[in-house]
Amino acid sequence: MRNHPYEEYENTDLWHTIWMAIDDFVKNQDLKEKTPRAYIVGYLCEKILKDGTL
């Protein structure tokens, strides 16, 4: 994967779960990605973990 500011989250269960959920949306044509997936997933991981949601 290319370098991005969210690499610290890449090997986590949260990253994998979010990545697969987005895969489902894209495969069902419920979502079109305009931003590289790593940035989307990384941002969501960061928000969840830093906002104390988990």
Side-chain angles (χ1 to χ4, degrees):
M1 205 169 281
R2 293 188 338 217
N3 291 341
H4 54 78
Y6 304 107
E7 289 179 0
E8 66 186 282
Y9 304 115
E10 274 190 24
N11 294 317
T12 65
D13 289 338
L14 181 60
W15 177 280
H16 178 72
T17 299
I18 293 171
W19 190 284
M20 297 306 293
I22 292 172
D23 255 354
D24 291 341
F25 280 124
V26 171
K27 286 177 186 171
N28 290 331
Q29 298 180 343
D30 293 325
L31 179 72
K32 286 187 181 181
E33 297 170 274
K34 295 173 89 175
T35 301
R37 172 83 57 99
Y39 283 84
I40 297 168
V41 174
Y43 177 79
L44 292 171
C45 286
E46 183 175 83
K47 289 298 282 182
I48 290 168
L49 294 172
K50 294 200 173 173
D51 287 351
T53 307
L54 287 180

